[in-house]
Amino acid sequence: MGGREANVVLLDENGIRSDGRKVNETRKVTIKAGVLKNASGSAYIEFGGNKYHMEPFSVGERKKPAPSRREIEISKVIKEALEPAVMLEKFPRTAVDVFLEVLQADGGTRCAALDAASVALADAGIPMRDLVCACASGKAADALILDVNNEEDQAGQADMPIGYMPNLGKITLLQLDGVLTADEYKKCIELGLEGCKQVYEIQKNALREKYFSSGDKD
Amino acid sequence: MANLSIIDKLKRSKILDLLQEGKRIDDRALDEPRPLVIDIGVIPHANGSARVRLGDTEIVSGIKIDLSQFVLEKDKSVIGLFADSVVTDHDGNLFDACSYASVAAIITSKIPKWEMKDDIPVLIENQESDAPITTIPISVTMGRIGEFIIVDPNIDEWGCLDARITITTNSDGNIVALQKGGSDGFTFEQLVKCSELSIAVGKKIRETVKQATEGGQ
C-alpha cells in the first residue's frame, strides 16, 4: 500500500482500470446459497472472473493451517460486522459458528467473506434484522475506485472495505489502509455504499434462486 | 452489548441520561479527550521510549532496534524497529494511549549506526542519528452510545459503547488509518462527523506530542 512502485498502469487515459473495469464498477459477483448439504446454512461467492479449481495440495503456495494474525483480525471484524444483523437475543446460551474458507484470494477477501457469511446465515434460517453486504472502495492512480482488486491493493493509494446493512442504513464494517483527504474519505464511503447496494441485490437473488427458483427462473 | 451485567446496564442508563443533558460521567465535553501527559526517555536502555498517561490509562512503550534484524547492503538498508507497549493502568481507550506512547517513543528514538566491515556489521559508537520521521500520525478513538458520539471513552463509557471507531490523521490532516469495532454500526452521517472530530481533536493532541518530544531523548 502506498510506497510500492506500480509496474502496471492502474488507470489508462480513458479511465479504464487494469482489468478493464470503470472506476465505479465492481467485478462480476456470483453468489450461490445452500452449497453444502451438511451445514445448517451455506453460501459460495466469487468476486471477479477468476476460475476456481478445487485442487487442494496441488497449489504452488501452501499456507500453514493455524490462523495467522491477519486471519484472527479478519475473524474479529467479520464477527463484529455480522453481530448487529443477527438477532442474538433469540439464541440465549447458543453459539452460532460461521466458518469461512478463502479458496482463492484476489483482493477484497474480507468483503467477499462477509457477503457469503451473511447469505449463509440467512440460508440457515437464522432470524436477521438485515443482510450485511460488503464491498471495498479505494484510491489508485489518484482516482477513487470501487471494488479494489489485488493489483490495485498492492500498488494503489488506499483500500477501504465497507460492510453495510442497507435497510437499516448502518455501516458495520469500516477499515482503511492508505491515505485519503477528508473529502476523499466522504466520497470513498459513498462510492463503497453504492457497491454494497449492488452486492445486496445479488445476495437477495442468490437466496431467491434457492428458495423460489421454480417460480422466478425464466 | 449483548452481554451486559446488571451493573453495566445501570451504568449505561446513567451515562445515557447524562449524555442527553450534554454531560459525561467525568464532566468532560463530548468532544474532549482526557488530559494527556507524555514523558520521554523513561527506559534508557531502549533506543527510544515513552510513558503516556491518558487520564488514568497508563502505557509504557519501548523501541528496540535489533542488530540481527538489520539488512545492510550498498545504498540500501532495512531496519527492523520494534515498538512494544505495556499497559500499566487501564482506564479505557488503550488504542489511543498505546498509539501516542509508540509514536512518542519512535519520534525520540535514536538509530544506532552500523557499517559493513569484511561482510560483518560493526557498530559505530556514538554515531546515533534521529529516526527519519516525516509525519506525526495521531489516532482518535470515538465511541457511540445511543445517538451520541464521544471522544476518548473512559472505562465506564467503554463498557457500554454500542460501537467504536478509531481514525488516525497525519500532520497534513489527511486520514491515514481507520478501524471500526464494537458490535453495532454507524450511519454515514455519524462517520462524517467522526472524521471531522478526529481531524480537530487530533490537531490538538499532535501539538501535545510535538511539545513533549521536542529535543529528543
Side-chain angles (χ1 to χ4, degrees):
Chain A
M1 181 67 48
R4 263 171 284 183
E5 276 300 312
N7 296 322
V8 287
V9 180
L10 291 178
L11 203 66
D12 72 10
E13 61 277 10
N14 301 319
I16 298 296
R17 291 153 71 177
S18 57
D19 55 7
R21 282 184 290 154
K22 295 183 202 126
V23 286
N24 59 352
E25 191 180 343
T26 66
R27 286 170 285 183
K28 188 176 181 296
V29 184
T30 319
I31 307 179
K32 208 168 172 331
V35 290
L36 303 175
K37 270 192 178 157
N38 294 308
S40 311
S42 60
Y44 171 78
I45 186 167
E46 266 181 39
F47 252 81
N50 295 312
K51 272 245 172 80
Y52 146 61
H53 300 286
M54 191 156 168
E55 290 170 88
F57 312 113
S58 68
V59 289
E61 41 180 342
R62 175 191 174 266
K63 78 169 277 299
K64 288 180 184 164
S68 62
R69 265 168 54 136
R70 180 179 152 82
E71 285 159 322
I72 294 167
E73 183 235 344
I74 292 182
S75 301
K76 179 190 173 285
V77 297
I78 288 180
K79 172 179 171 279
E80 289 179 345
L82 283 174
E83 249 173 16
V86 180
M87 295 183 172
L88 288 171
E89 65 276 13
K90 303 256 185 203
F91 298 93
R93 295 168 194 275
T94 308
V96 180
D97 286 329
V98 178
F99 296 95
L100 295 158
E101 198 72 50
V102 177
L103 301 164
Q104 182 170 288
D106 182 33
T109 44
R110 69 192 66 200
C111 290
L114 184 52
D115 290 326
S118 173
V119 173
L121 282 170
D123 179 45
I126 288 172
M128 290 165 84
R129 294 180 177 84
D130 203 345
L131 278 177
V132 183
C133 45
C135 190
S137 52
K139 188 180 168 189
D142 292 324
L144 296 182
I145 52 169
L146 187 59
D147 184 20
V148 180
N149 68 24
N150 198 38
E151 214 164 52
E152 293 162 337
D153 185 18
Q154 298 298 316
Q157 293 148 302
D159 175 27
M160 183 192 252
I162 302 177
Y164 184 54
M165 296 196 288
N167 295 296
L168 299 173
K170 259 189 186 169
I171 292 150
T172 65
L173 179 141
L174 187 66
Q175 292 180 286
L176 169 68
D177 186 8
V179 182
L180 292 175
T181 66
D183 190 45
E184 284 170 342
Y185 160 82
K186 234 185 279 181
K187 286 184 178 146
C188 213
I189 299 179
E190 284 175 324
L191 183 62
L193 292 183
E194 281 311 307
C196 288
K197 285 172 193 164
Q198 290 175 27
V199 172
Y200 175 60
E201 292 306 317
I202 299 164
Q203 286 177 310
K204 278 199 298 189
N205 276 334
L207 288 165
R208 271 198 208 114
E209 188 84 359
K210 184 184 169 193
Y211 290 99
F212 307 105
S213 60
S214 52
D216 271 11
K217 261 189 182 167
D218 45 14
Chain B
M1 284 308 304
N3 304 313
L4 287 187
S5 70
I6 300 273
I7 300 286
D8 286 338
K9 280 183 185 161
L10 290 170
K11 230 182 237 173
R12 181 183 158 88
S13 87
K14 175 71 183 166
I15 286 171
L16 207 52
D17 284 349
L18 283 170
L19 284 172
Q20 250 130 24
E21 299 167 28
K23 289 181 196 159
R24 281 170 79 172
I25 199 155
D26 55 4
D27 288 329
R28 278 184 288 155
L30 270 63
D31 61 353
E32 183 186 348
R34 289 168 291 174
L36 175 65
V37 183
I38 302 175
D39 299 316
I40 58 162
V42 293
I43 312 166
H45 281 256
N47 296 102
S49 62
R51 175 171 53 227
V52 157
R53 278 195 82 85
L54 182 61
D56 286 327
T57 293
E58 188 178 73
I59 309 287
V60 177
S61 185
I63 306 296
K64 199 66 187 166
I65 300 160
D66 197 353
L67 175 61
S68 64
Q69 298 296 329
F70 268 71
V71 177
L72 295 170
E73 267 178 59
K74 196 172 180 289
D75 299 331
K76 193 178 173 187
S77 68
V78 178
I79 57 167
L81 196 147
F82 295 86
D84 292 301
S85 293
V86 177
V87 179
T88 50
D89 205 351
H90 176 20
D91 192 43
N93 194 8
L94 298 180
F95 285 91
D96 289 349
C98 287
S99 162
Y100 305 153
S102 318
V103 166
I106 291 170
I107 291 174
T108 54
S109 62
K110 299 287 180 192
I111 311 278
K113 193 177 178 188
W114 272 282
E115 263 176 20
M116 294 301 281
K117 279 187 184 153
D118 301 329
D119 288 339
I120 300 161
V122 180
L123 178 69
I124 313 292
E125 298 276 353
N126 300 322
Q127 283 215 27
E128 295 175 325
S129 58
D130 289 335
I133 304 296
T134 54
T135 188
I136 302 178
I138 297 291
S139 73
V140 176
T141 295
M142 290 148 282
R144 179 173 72 75
I145 303 180
E147 295 309 306
F148 301 98
I149 305 283
I150 50 172
V151 169
D152 180 27
N154 68 23
I155 193 93
D156 291 325
E157 294 166 331
W158 197 266
C160 52
L161 292 183
D162 292 314
R164 164 195 69 81
I165 190 156
T166 303
I167 303 181
T168 304
T169 52
N170 65 9
S171 300
D172 300 330
N174 289 333
I175 295 165
V176 292
L178 178 155
Q179 192 182 56
K180 180 249 154 200
S183 48
D184 203 349
F186 287 92
T187 63
F188 174 67
E189 290 73 23
Q190 285 165 342
L191 287 176
V192 172
K193 189 185 170 188
C194 286
S195 69
E196 290 162 358
L197 278 172
S198 170
I199 292 168
V201 175
K203 203 172 177 183
K204 287 180 200 159
I205 292 175
R206 189 170 295 108
E207 283 311 308
T208 311
V209 172
K210 258 189 206 164
Q211 277 172 18
T213 54
E214 229 131 67
Q217 245 174 299

